[in-house]
Amino acid sequence: MCFKNLPIEFDAEGRPRLRPGVVDPYRYQVRSLAEEEERIAALLARNGYIRSVDFDPVTRVAGALAFHAVVDLRERRVLAANAMATLFRGYEVILKGRDPRDAAFISSRACGVCGGVHATCSCLALEMALGVQPPPLGIVVRNLLLALEFLYDHPLHLFLLAGPDYSQALVEPTAPSLWAQAQRTPAPNAHWHGFRTIADIMTALNPLSGTLYLEALHMTRVIREAYVLLGGKYPHPETVIPGGVTTTVSLSTFNEIYSRLLQFIDYAKKAVAIWDDLCDFFYAANPLYRQLGTRPKNLADPGIWDDPEAYDATYAHCTAWGERRWATPGVILNGELVTTSLQAINLGLEEFVEHSYYEPWETYPVRTDPLGAPLSPYHPWNKETKPRPTGQSWRDRYSWATSPRWDRQVVEAECTARMWITAVAQKLPHRRFLEPTGTSLRMALPAGHLPARELEWKVPEVWNAFERNRGRAYCIPYTALVALDNWLYGLDLLKRGETRVHTRFTIPKTGRHIGVGFWGAGRGWLTHHAVIEDGALANYQIITPSTINASPRDPWGNPGPYEEAVLNSPILEEFERTEDFTGIDILRVIRSFDPCMPCTTHVMVEGQDRVLTTEVNTCACGLDD
Amino acid sequence: MTRRVLVGGVGYHHLSDYSLGPLVVARLQAESWPPEVDLRDLSFGQLAFVQEQLAQEGVYRRVVLVGAQARGGPPGAVRCYAWSFRLPPPLEIQARIAEAYTGIISLENLLVIGTHFAIWPPDVRVVEVEPAWETFGEALSPPVAAALPAVVEAVRQAALTGWSA
């Protein structure tokens, strides 16, 4: 039994069904936020040391994110936090009524960072809806492309976006005592990364000039080259289509990718060493850093990288092929794995809009999933996107992000969730380089220019901002090894003459066909839910990791993951006068999630079939209608 | 000695006036050009372009960039100028690099980032148009569409002759 809040139980054969006797099973009561808002407003009015702090925009994140916090500078804690996706995505509106074959190409544009994940996720949704199974090499190429894309994404975040938060340029002025300590502290992994002290690492993280910053810039080029050898173009590959890929694969292409992949195997050894040293230094310097960005261990992930022998694109077998992925799907609640079933993950998913700039919807067209299990009216297959820009109000509506929840609980999307679920589920069938132990994931990195290295990512004792960054660093070797495994798999297929990469399909002109793409972006969870009716897209819903993480409060008043993590954080910055407060700790927490908001950078013009790409200033002092 | 000339159309596809750069280049590609002129659609990752130029080390003696850039003038206004090579403060350069990495295609960003990484030759010329529409779509706004012939001619002149801005 994995559901505590939704009225779903399982019969003797493990089939989900509605719990009998529950009247109006998906009904809920909305908790008012008015009292809380009034309390904070009164505190702000009474006390000079309680300040309203607004980050608009939050810099060094992808896209449009603003953050409002109320901070008690005397007690050094955060009293209120609101994450605001400041612009509307709108792809759901654009796609409605279109030919399903447009979906991959159009939805791909949802993000310029995650340049291929949306195309792939869209293809999976359509493959399920249309009953198309790609050939093994098509699946392998897709796996390779998505692994290469994450190898572009993770260093970009670690060294260009979040990395500067730990650089000399930011640490020295905001925590002088920490900087002094860093200068005295030898780096334990110096033999892997070459930096003698922690201060040397921090200096190398300096933006624009630091060697780690510049090296990451270079490495993104290496991996992008590998990507375009297979995908033809990045971002927005046009070679990824339902039924597989259209790319021509040869041994020579594979060899060219290999040389670049090997560079990443070495780079991974170094990246992990750097983030291990940084995280451990901060914990040792001040144990309160363990509290920075803490949240309960509640994470969800639909898994990624399909087994070419198992993936048949059907919903009926989704749990079986899902559990054979290189990243096992699953949900972790309070540190415990509650399911690895893709069907259960899908049934538990709901999206709420009480504190978002959308109108609720009345329709409930899909009452059961394709296996007859109960679906909520708030499930993406039933959701209707009805944008309604209004004034900003902390008690009412303040974000273009919605509040996706699983079993009505706040779960987090994270690339680390891939390792975490795979480690604890121990269902991984592909163990050439990876070994889940139940509490860790062991990785065997082969020798390149650097010697071979065994790495072990361990389930963290506390889930916080530092472990998010450390986890992302370990995702570099994990992802590189998935790529290498798929590279070997693909090579074997080529040797056997299994060179087919695509399965033809047609769009049925009548009837309703539904599908879901269970996949992942650089930051974790990605799903596309498609409903095709009479040959056209009747509904299309995208849930990105940053929609989940940047979500505003839900109907029960629970804060979204960014908000909750900031609320749980102490203020550790060193400052004498309140006007010197910079909010670096809050920013470290937000950036540890690797926010990616370009999927929200479109605004619907009321009354017109138009989408703008204009920045909207949503200063927390209020937004007019 | 580097002798080549680059004409780069900066912008997005299918984004109304912000598609002007690639659109101009597509038009120019239909004409015959001297072999030393490269006409390129620069609608892809701007850091990728910068890295490519760093690897090639000064292939071009002149670069002409064309695209839409909002500066608050009347829609359709055409501005031709020689790039000043003036850089904003480091924090802003960082922000522009982050934007470029996260999918933003901007004429101004490309000029700044290219200057930071020293990829440009001394002769960089810009032809930019004030946009009116920032909407998803194929069509240019009427003022930008009206300016298109003048923009094409300005780019042609900038690429082939002395500077007449």
Side-chain angles (χ1 to χ4, degrees):
Chain A
M1 173 66 80
C2 61
F3 296 110
K4 284 196 307 188
N5 299 310
L6 286 176
I8 300 173
E9 63 179 18
F10 294 84
D11 67 15
E13 278 77 45
R15 287 185 298 250
R17 65 184 180 199
L18 268 183
R19 198 181 304 140
V22 182
V23 182
D24 203 355
Y26 290 100
R27 190 174 168 210
Y28 61 86
Q29 290 231 305
V30 178
R31 183 171 82 80
S32 169
L33 302 180
E35 195 179 319
E36 186 179 327
E37 193 199 358
E38 284 159 16
R39 184 178 62 84
I40 296 291
L43 282 171
L44 267 169
R46 274 203 313 270
N47 303 294
Y49 54 86
I50 294 179
R51 291 284 182 89
S52 186
V53 185
D54 297 298
F55 304 96
D56 185 9
V58 177
T59 56
R60 274 191 280 113
V61 304
L65 173 71
F67 203 89
H68 165 71
V70 176
V71 184
D72 182 334
L73 292 175
R74 197 167 68 180
E75 296 295 321
R76 290 180 164 264
R77 62 196 184 100
V78 181
L79 304 177
N82 298 92
M84 292 164 281
T86 54
L87 296 171
F88 173 48
R89 183 174 59 210
Y91 280 87
E92 292 85 349
V93 180
I94 295 170
L95 283 165
K96 202 167 177 175
R98 285 186 181 265
D99 187 314
R101 288 168 295 192
D102 289 346
F105 300 123
I106 292 177
S107 68
S108 174
R109 264 71 182 174
C111 183
V113 191
C114 317
V117 297
H118 287 286
T120 310
C121 195
S122 178
C123 291
L124 267 71
L126 295 185
E127 284 164 6
M128 185 182 285
L130 304 173
V132 190
Q133 181 180 6
L137 190 58
I139 296 169
V140 165
V141 168
R142 214 149 65 178
N143 288 345
L144 262 173
L145 285 173
L146 269 296
L148 297 173
E149 182 168 341
F150 295 165
L151 290 176
Y152 169 84
D153 207 280
H154 298 327
L156 166 65
H157 174 258
L158 287 168
F159 296 105
L160 270 68
L161 302 179
D165 287 343
Y166 306 89
S167 68
Q168 171 265 331
L170 274 122
V171 171
E172 189 176 11
T174 58
S177 68
L178 198 70
W179 170 245
Q181 201 169 337
Q183 289 173 298
R184 297 190 301 269
T185 307
N189 283 309
H191 55 292
W192 283 110
H193 52 58
F195 298 103
R196 194 177 58 82
T197 65
I198 298 296
D200 290 341
I201 295 177
M202 290 175 170
T203 303
L205 284 169
N206 277 344
L208 299 181
S209 59
T211 53
L212 286 170
Y213 184 95
L214 295 172
E215 184 183 29
L217 275 174
H218 168 71
M219 292 308 287
T220 58
R221 179 184 182 194
V222 172
I223 212 66
R224 201 169 44 228
E225 286 173 352
Y227 189 99
V228 297
L229 283 164
L230 263 186
K233 176 174 178 288
Y234 186 90
H236 315 313
E238 293 179 356
T239 44
V240 179
I241 60 169
V245 293
T246 60
T247 193
T248 304
V249 184
S250 67
L251 283 174
S252 133
T253 315
F254 261 57
N255 285 335
E256 288 192 59
I257 289 168
Y258 183 70
S259 68
R260 289 163 176 84
L261 189 54
L262 265 194
Q263 294 181 55
F264 259 81
I265 300 270
D266 276 348
Y267 185 60
K269 297 165 191 166
K270 183 176 171 180
V272 162
I274 283 161
W275 284 94
D276 268 343
D277 282 357
L278 272 177
C279 295
D280 295 343
F281 165 75
F282 273 83
Y283 290 169
N286 183 351
L288 286 175
Y289 275 113
R290 287 181 187 274
Q291 292 177 27
L292 202 74
T294 50
R295 278 195 72 248
K297 294 172 179 175
N298 292 349
L299 302 104
D301 193 81
I304 190 170
W305 301 307
D306 283 307
D307 183 332
E309 306 296 330
Y311 174 70
D312 69 1
T314 65
Y315 190 84
H317 301 143
C318 67
T319 293
W321 54 253
E323 288 176 347
R324 289 192 61 83
R325 287 180 153 182
W326 266 268
T328 311
V331 178
I332 290 172
L333 294 176
N334 297 314
E336 298 296 322
L337 182 69
V338 298
T339 186
T340 56
S341 157
L342 273 178
Q343 188 195 13
I345 291 171
N346 189 44
L347 295 180
L349 183 63
E350 294 175 295
E351 221 174 331
F352 301 98
V353 296
E354 274 73 7
H355 297 291
S356 313
Y357 297 127
Y358 301 94
E359 287 179 24
W361 57 96
E362 308 297 330
T363 52
Y364 189 2
V366 186
R367 289 174 180 260
T368 62
D369 74 358
L371 292 172
L375 273 183
S376 163
Y378 310 104
H379 184 276
W381 272 327
N382 288 315
K383 186 191 167 201
E384 197 178 336
T385 302
K386 300 171 82 171
R388 187 172 180 275
T390 59
Q392 183 189 70
S393 159
W394 305 134
R395 70 174 69 178
D396 293 322
R397 300 175 191 276
Y398 58 88
S399 179
W400 281 105
T402 59
S403 299
R405 297 290 185 261
W406 192 84
D407 192 26
R408 305 200 164 175
Q409 299 186 70
V410 185
V411 291
E412 183 174 332
E414 256 298 322
C415 63
T416 305
R418 289 184 192 126
M419 291 191 296
W420 198 324
I421 296 163
T422 304
V424 298
Q426 293 186 273
K427 292 188 174 180
L428 178 72
H430 315 282
R431 301 196 178 195
R432 192 169 358 210
F433 303 109
L434 300 166
E435 187 65 37
T437 69
T439 55
S440 69
L441 186 65
R442 291 193 184 129
M443 312 174 202
L445 288 157
H449 292 296
L450 292 175
R453 187 175 186 196
E454 296 275 337
L455 286 172
E456 185 174 17
W457 175 83
K458 294 175 182 160
V459 172
E461 286 173 22
V462 60
W463 182 231
N464 61 19
F466 288 92
E467 296 306 330
R468 285 186 197 97
N469 288 331
R470 191 204 300 263
R472 189 159 284 108
Y474 274 83
C475 276
I476 298 177
Y478 171 44
T479 307
L481 292 174
V482 171
L484 187 57
D485 211 0
N486 273 277
W487 183 87
L488 290 164
Y489 205 111
L491 208 58
D492 192 45
L493 288 170
L494 284 174
K495 283 180 192 161
R496 299 202 314 250
E498 291 188 40
T499 55
R500 211 164 59 85
V501 290
H502 184 253
T503 303
R504 292 179 69 84
F505 67 94
T506 54
I507 308 287
K509 290 193 167 47
T510 56
R512 176 195 279 172
H513 309 270
I514 66 175
V516 47
F518 296 112
W519 201 242
R523 293 126 195 94
W525 177 295
L526 180 66
T527 49
H528 285 207
H529 284 79
V531 178
I532 300 168
E533 280 179 359
D534 299 335
L537 289 169
N539 194 10
Y540 200 94
Q541 294 293 330
I542 301 171
I543 297 185
T544 67
S546 296
T547 311
I548 294 172
N549 292 342
S551 70
R553 303 273 179 133
D554 61 25
W556 306 278
N558 301 310
Y562 293 173
E563 296 175 335
E564 186 178 18
V566 168
L567 283 167
N568 289 339
S569 295
I571 302 297
L572 301 172
E573 179 180 346
E574 296 169 21
F575 56 91
E576 295 291 327
R577 300 171 307 168
T578 53
E579 53 268 37
D580 295 333
F581 172 70
T582 67
I584 181 68
D585 297 304
I586 292 173
L587 290 167
R588 279 184 181 135
V589 172
I590 297 169
R591 291 196 187 109
S592 73
F593 287 88
D594 192 5
C596 184
M597 314 301 287
C599 49
T600 66
T601 53
H602 294 78
V603 175
M604 196 74 190
V605 178
E606 203 165 353
Q608 294 183 42
D609 184 18
R610 276 210 180 145
V611 177
L612 302 187
T613 57
T614 310
E615 289 271 334
V616 174
N617 184 346
T618 53
C619 155
C621 55
L623 184 73
D624 292 332
D625 285 359
Chain B
M1 178 69 82
T2 58
R3 295 287 82 195
R4 302 195 67 75
V5 172
L6 170 68
V7 176
V10 183
Y12 301 84
H13 284 271
H14 315 301
L15 198 62
S16 302
D17 292 347
Y18 281 92
S19 303
L20 179 85
L23 189 72
V24 168
V25 164
R27 288 209 175 185
L28 293 172
Q29 280 168 337
E31 302 175 2
S32 73
W33 284 81
E36 70 269 22
V37 178
D38 294 335
L39 297 158
R40 293 191 62 185
D41 174 338
L42 299 183
S43 64
F44 60 94
Q46 302 202 307
L47 262 299
F49 174 75
V50 168
Q51 288 170 333
E52 177 196 290
Q53 294 306 303
L54 284 170
Q56 291 181 355
E57 285 190 29
V59 168
Y60 296 111
R61 65 180 164 85
R62 177 185 297 170
V63 170
V64 180
L65 297 178
V66 56
Q69 182 69 48
R71 296 194 192 278
V78 180
R79 295 177 286 264
C80 305
Y81 59 91
W83 171 236
S84 68
F85 294 89
R86 273 199 296 273
L87 281 173
L91 268 179
E92 196 177 323
I93 300 172
Q94 241 189 87
R96 287 167 186 261
I97 291 174
E99 279 190 358
Y101 255 117
T102 53
I104 304 287
I105 308 290
S106 146
L107 181 57
E108 179 90 3
N109 280 7
L110 182 59
L111 287 163
V112 168
I113 297 165
T115 303
H116 173 76
F117 286 106
I119 64 165
W120 301 127
D123 186 0
V124 176
R125 304 169 177 199
V126 182
V127 178
E128 65 178 38
V129 180
E130 185 69 27
W133 288 355
E134 304 174 89
T135 59
F136 174 79
E138 304 280 335
L140 297 174
S141 66
V144 172
L148 187 59
V151 173
V152 170
E153 184 52 29
V155 173
R156 195 183 287 121
Q157 292 298 319
L160 295 178
T161 66
W163 190 233
S164 58

